[in-house]
Amino acid sequence: MLRAKNRLGLVFFPAFDWAISPTHPEREERLLYTQDQVFEEGIADIEGIKFFNPGMATEKDVQRVHFCVPDVMSRVTESHLISAGGAIKAAEALMEKEVDKAFAIVRPPGHHAQRVVFGDRGFCIINIEAVMLENIRQRFGHRRIAIVDTDCHHGDGTQDIYWNDRDTLYISFHQDGRTLYPGTGFLDEFGGPAAIGYNINVPLPPETGEEGFLYVLDNLVMPILEEYKPDLVVNSAGQDNHYTDPITNMNFTAHGYAKLNHRLNPDIAVLEGGYSIEGALPYVNLGIILAMAGLDYSHVREPDYDPTKLKQSPRITEYIKELCEKIYERWCRKEGIARETLKGKEYVLRPRNVYYDTDGIMEEQTQKFKVCPNCSGLNTIHSRSDWGYEIFAVSIPRDACPACIDEGYKIYKETPEGKYFKTFLQDRVNDTYMSK
Amino acid sequence: MGLDMGGTHVDAVIIDRGNIVDIAKTPADRSDLFGSIWATLDNLLSGKKVSRIERINLSTTVSTNAIIEGKTAPVGMIIESGPGMDPSFMSCGSENIFITGYVDHRGREIKPFDPVEIQEAASRFKQQDIKTCAVVAKFSTRNPLHEINIQKMLKDEFCPITMGHTLSGKLNFPRRVFTSYLNCAVYHVFKAFCDSIRKAMQKENIHVPVNVLKADGGTISLDVGQQYPVNTILSGPAASLMGACAFNAGDKDAVFLDIGGTTTDISFVADGVPLFEPLGINIGPYNTLVRAIYSVSIGLGGDSAIHIENGELKIGPQREGFPMALGGQVPTPSDAMIVLGLLDFGNKDRAILAMKLLGEKLGMDARAASEVVYEKMADIIKQKVDSLIKDINSRPVYTVKELLYGKRLKPEYVSIIGGPARAMAPVLEKKFNLPCRVPENYEAANAVGAALAKTTAEITLLADTASGVLSVPEIGLYKRIDRNFTLDMARQKALELLKQRASILGAEGSETESEITEESSFNMVRGFYTSGKNIRIKAQVKPGLLYELRGVNYA
């Protein structure tokens, strides 16, 4: 019998009875062929690979990360809580040392869900990685974590959630925002005042192939991770860079995804997007499972794989090389950039508009970060949706100093009830959440 | 008439509409299984009207023994593995030929196989004097044409040729390979057994259907069994559980324990129906797709050796000979139960000595030591059962509905059979806090189970209206359907095909109560349009018994 080199936990939950709508990319059929492939390969019989059912994330798990308007339970469905619960289950199996690595193949995905949630963005309502990470941080202690997001779309939600948190390094490679939803993820999105440099975007040109992705990994991501020394590496494993994906323009392969995962060597992978449900997902997921288990993935090939057609152009190779140099140089200079940016500042404001494409909502938002010498700094969000809801949120960060904690409660208390549709308080130090 | 061939005894029973008419038991001669079977039947039938027999159900260890003792025939394997995992670990035959070509998860041929490779395989097999071969392709359950065409090429040169898709509709390529291998490997041994049975029946002028028991607790006709002997492996525990079910009719969840001398076998019924292995049974180093009753064996029985290790009492998992009461050298739970007056055999003084020796190491007298052993044995069983229930209740599910509202196993009673059953019942009742039933006549449970077993069958139907194909691998059906095929039509088709299948396997009309066990229908969307439906159905003949036993059958 086959034995895995790494004990691998799989939370495989295809949610066969849930869809955004019958013909939506995020529908019942999405993981059907992945399941066929996983079953046919006999993955469950490999010694060392263990399947887990997801649990269900709680309201508090979500509140630790999001401000849901009007509240958590009216925003999410059971499927969302199960998807996040699946990610939590994967991380829990890892933390409890039941497995060496874990992969949550769940749906719906989460990396477009930002801190404020008025509705569904890019098929995401709650950020399942963030809900997972904050749950395990709460239960198993604080950890330095790196999230490497390999989805073809910029993980703007994860970026937003960890914008000001230097203990969570966020690196996203994605198709350039000038050519793809959500239109963000450029070099200058570099982190909030307490975490300047800890948010790294790698916008790649359309038609980047296996060579380009692996170049970014080897020459940019791995050196940064070596310097950052995370306790835990999480892969937001979106699979829509695949050459057959219907909604993107990249040329990545199943074999490339397996190789990338093998070299990145994440502790946890969580499935994000990927909508080539027949041509890519069965092979990419299989490749990642084998790579994580430490097994041979060299026989994983798509039916129509043709390496000559997928060869990356030299122009793109050259572009990516320069891009990586530029980004790495900025990473090295992050302390200096922080000093320049924050010089004499008491607060940093981050105003922007956020569009909820799935639900058609436009949000106008300003985040205000206090520049605090003792902690990440108290932070507030003032936000209004074009459906007329206006909210105000106070967020006390995980590492808040006593002064910032007091200030947070003071602001919350002094905001009169009824001034906003809703006022929220998120106290990450005491794991306490309230709203009025 | 039911007959069970165990490791030590052959048991047979005649049942008349739920009443046990007679029981016979003879020692098994492993060098002449057929002779032992016939001697037992002869014994049972003497003085009875043979013409009144309606059917004979046999549970036999012929295939199992051949595998375990390595008395199998060499097999040539032709394996079409397509892309995916490195297939080298699937080499199980005497010769293993990996061929090119492949079919994908929807049954589309991506690459045809190369006939030259097949001819080369055939000549390699012949050089090695291999006479049987198996042809197994990845996703052949979705499209069996490669297997069928290769079989056609080879059919005049090899016998039998097992095609993977005929053994199960379940997806699991490595298991399909191993199951096909085993089917070929035991084919000739099992066929010789079938031939002897037929000859003897003719000689005795008995002309009734003969069925063989499968690992799932159901039967198939001797003729079909001969083609697919792999299904008869490990049918002993299945017979035993079916027997226990016969003594405990009803629709509750329960734990079934068979406590023997060396091991305790644990099974479960859910709503009165035996629980199956999720994919198939394991035998030796092989995972298979053979549908089988879920049964877990632990090394704990009446004759398990008891030792003290680091001041702690350890029972099993080994047996080191007889209990001391029967002249053995090591104390056993049976000795303890003899001291407590719960069992009565052998030399009681020797049993007391056994417990006295044990007690000295534990700082207590013989009786107290016996109590400790007795309690500990029950604790071990209880803990194991609890952990199995936990595993069963956390088996993977794939829908929100199943995850939130799915069936959870919650036993309401414990049924115990085996030598120490009656002696163990009181303490298990206390530990489980559930009623413990000990059926009467449980010594014949296996034979009763065999006698009352019904023909079982299962089919897996997949209708892909985008490709316009309907496939049912178990019967080799692969045909075109139109785009308007619906879930409802699929259900009806499945039940109809199942009925045909069951009757081929040996079922008589009245016994086939069919049911749909799984069904789903997915919209297949390509681009912005629904291109078709992917409909999946599993149907089975409801497992169960021909008759319920009459009267109160447990004490």
Side-chain angles (χ1 to χ4, degrees), chain A residues 167-199:
Chain A
D167 290 328
T168 313
L169 170 68
Y170 182 66
I171 307 178
S172 175
F173 9 154
H174 45 263
Q175 184 175 330
D176 195 315
R178 290 169 298 188
T179 61
L180 191 70
Y181 179 87
T184 52
F186 299 102
L187 265 55
D188 59 341
E189 296 162 44
F190 207 46
I196 290 178
Y198 294 90
N199 189 92

Side-chain angles (χ1 to χ4, degrees), chain B residues 211-287:
Chain B
N211 301 304
V212 284
L213 212 74
K214 299 184 293 171
D216 70 355
T219 61
I220 39 172
S221 71
L222 197 64
D223 293 344
V224 179
Q226 183 181 313
Q227 277 176 54
Y228 300 109
V230 70
N231 291 304
T232 69
I233 60 169
L234 301 173
S235 57
S240 146
L241 182 67
M242 295 315 284
C245 283
F247 291 114
N248 292 287
D251 57 3
K252 292 190 163 72
D253 290 3
V255 183
F256 280 61
L257 301 175
D258 183 347
I259 309 179
T262 321
T263 59
T264 294
D265 296 336
I266 305 166
S267 293
F268 299 93
V269 295
D271 302 325
V273 177
L275 226 60
F276 292 111
E277 289 286 347
L279 277 168
I281 207 162
N282 296 353
I283 180 163
Y286 304 109
N287 292 322

Side-chain angles (χ1 to χ4, degrees), chain A residues 1 13-17 27 29 32-33 35-36 39-41 45 53 78-79 278 290 299-300 303, chain B residues 84 102 106 108 138-139 142 172-173 175-176 287 395-398 400-401 523-526 536:
Chain A
M1 207 162 57
F13 195 73
F16 284 146
D17 51 352
R27 63 180 179 276
E29 190 193 359
L32 185 62
Y33 312 106
Q35 188 191 58
D36 285 349
F39 281 10
E40 180 71 346
E41 298 290 353
D45 290 328
N53 274 328
E78 281 164 345
S79 294
E278 272 205 71
L290 294 178
H299 297 252
V300 177
Chain B
Y102 93 90
R106 276 185 60 203
R108 293 173 297 209
K138 192 174 276 179
F139 285 116
R142 294 287 159 82
N172 192 309
F173 181 56
R175 283 180 184 249
R176 193 176 312 124
N287 292 322
R395 277 184 189 172
V397 294
Y398 305 106
V400 175
K401 195 174 145 210
N523 280 330
M524 302 171 73
V525 181
R526 298 298 175 270
R536 297 168 175 210

Side-chain angles (χ1 to χ4, degrees), chain A residues 364-435:
Chain A
E364 202 182 304
Q365 184 192 88
T366 302
Q367 300 191 23
K368 183 175 167 189
F369 298 96
K370 183 178 165 187
V371 180
C372 176
N374 303 317
C375 70
S376 295
L378 185 70
N379 150 230
T380 60
I381 307 174
H382 179 203
S383 158
R384 183 204 315 261
S385 87
D386 62 355
W387 291 11
Y389 300 113
E390 187 179 6
I391 62 134
F392 182 67
V394 180
S395 177
I396 299 170
R398 207 169 41 238
D399 64 344
C401 63
C404 281
I405 299 176
D406 290 347
E407 192 183 337
Y409 275 90
K410 188 159 170 276
I411 295 175
Y412 178 74
K413 275 184 199 137
E414 284 173 0
T415 307
E417 209 163 330
K419 179 169 182 205
Y420 299 99
F421 172 71
K422 209 133 191 196
T423 305
F424 297 89
L425 176 76
Q426 187 184 56
D427 172 1
R428 299 289 313 280
V429 176
N430 301 298
D431 203 24
T432 302
Y433 311 93
M434 35 188 141
S435 60

Side-chain angles (χ1 to χ4, degrees), chain B residues 75-93:
Chain B
V75 181
M77 299 297 298
I78 296 177
I79 302 171
E80 182 188 283
S81 61
M85 292 220 295
D86 171 4
S88 56
F89 77 100
M90 287 173 231
S91 300
C92 52

Side-chain angles (χ1 to χ4, degrees), chain A residues 95-213:
Chain A
M95 289 297 152
E96 287 170 351
K97 302 205 169 14
E98 216 178 319
V99 295
D100 303 318
K101 291 184 179 296
F103 184 14
I105 308 176
V106 294
R107 52 179 285 266
H111 78 151
H112 295 303
Q114 308 200 348
R115 300 170 72 197
V116 175
V117 176
F118 280 108
D120 192 327
R121 302 184 68 246
F123 326 152
C124 306
I125 291 180
I126 54 175
N127 193 302
I128 60 176
E129 277 96 352
V131 171
M132 162 186 92
L133 288 179
E134 298 318 306
N135 172 292
I136 60 165
R137 273 180 164 142
Q138 190 62 38
R139 287 158 63 203
F140 299 94
H142 174 72
R143 274 177 177 77
R144 207 169 154 84
I145 294 167
I147 302 174
V148 180
D149 188 328
T150 50
D151 190 282
C152 191
H153 302 86
H154 175 227
D156 56 347
T158 315
Q159 165 171 298
D160 182 47
I161 290 163
Y162 291 112
W163 184 248
N164 204 38
D165 180 356
R166 66 190 298 144
D167 290 328
T168 313
L169 170 68
Y170 182 66
I171 307 178
S172 175
F173 9 154
H174 45 263
Q175 184 175 330
D176 195 315
R178 290 169 298 188
T179 61
L180 191 70
Y181 179 87
T184 52
F186 299 102
L187 265 55
D188 59 341
E189 296 162 44
F190 207 46
I196 290 178
Y198 294 90
N199 189 92
I200 295 172
N201 286 306
V202 190
L204 296 167
E207 291 174 13
T208 298
E210 187 162 325
E211 197 188 337
F213 282 94

